[in-house]
Amino acid sequence: MPTDLAAYQDRAARLDTADLDFTEFERRPLNDDALRCLRYMHDVENHTVCYLRDLLLTAAHKDPAITSFLTFWNFEEFWHGEAIASVLAAHGENGAERVSAMRHRLGWKDRMGPLAHLTGSALAGESFIAIHMTWGAINEWSTQAGYARLAARAQHPLLSELLHRIMRQEGRHIEFYASEARERLEADPRARRLTRFALKRFWKPVGATVMPSPEVRFLIRYLFEGADGQAMTRRIDRRIDRLPGLRGLALVDSAVKSTAA
Ligand SMILES: [Fe+2]
Ligand SMILES: [Fe+2]
């Protein structure tokens, strides 16, 4: 077993929120913008299992280290969704209804997911895993940055505490995805070429393919416009630059600019 996987498996756990008093939100509710942002994050965290369905159709399922990671990753993302649902519930909103509504709303997009992944995997072969690991690293970097920006913007101590706990787990997802991506890209020139191509051609901000466009635009503007937001997107781009074969893409910065426009 790779050491990064052993370390991750040892620490993977349900997000601990037992000591957090969510009724605090009834006394001091979040503002409308922060709540709108949390609805997006809730829906996307809860969509992880559907994304996993698509991934398991690809070459990723052949590698036991990857499937072990994905098992715990999916479990942890589920509890992130549940924790955010508790925040929404304290504001009188029903998270479970949102999850069901989203899956019904997706329609053909949901049916295209398996086909797109199968096609990508058939074309890329083993290199598909490098694409997937790189994609995962970028999405986890973006997600962690999004939570950090929401904590900074909402200025609510209880929300900040919850988001920082989620961010610590996203940090462990990052460690796994990024180290796998680095190794696989380093070892395989074809994987470097295909990953660079796939990112340039298909990468979109997390949730952009499954959430309604006005919500994507709102979230990107709310979290990533302005000097602090831009510093965050550029930091992610510098991390991508350090992966083998991916220098100079300016992926996140340009995606944020075109989404917000
Ligand atoms: Fe998460
Ligand atoms: Fe994550």
Side-chain angles (χ1 to χ4, degrees), residues 45 77 80 170:
E45 291 280 11
E77 304 294 19
H80 297 173
E170 308 294 16

Side-chain angles (χ1 to χ4, degrees), residues 102-122:
M102 176 175 179
R103 294 196 190 163
H104 285 92
R105 184 184 71 224
L106 284 175
W108 68 270
K109 277 190 183 174
D110 182 59
R111 291 194 290 280
M112 287 303 288
L115 189 63
H117 280 77
L118 270 172
T119 309
S121 179

Side-chain angles (χ1 to χ4, degrees), residues 73 77 80 140 169-170 173:
W73 165 78
E77 304 294 19
H80 297 173
E140 296 283 349
Q169 290 197 329
E170 308 294 16
H173 303 166

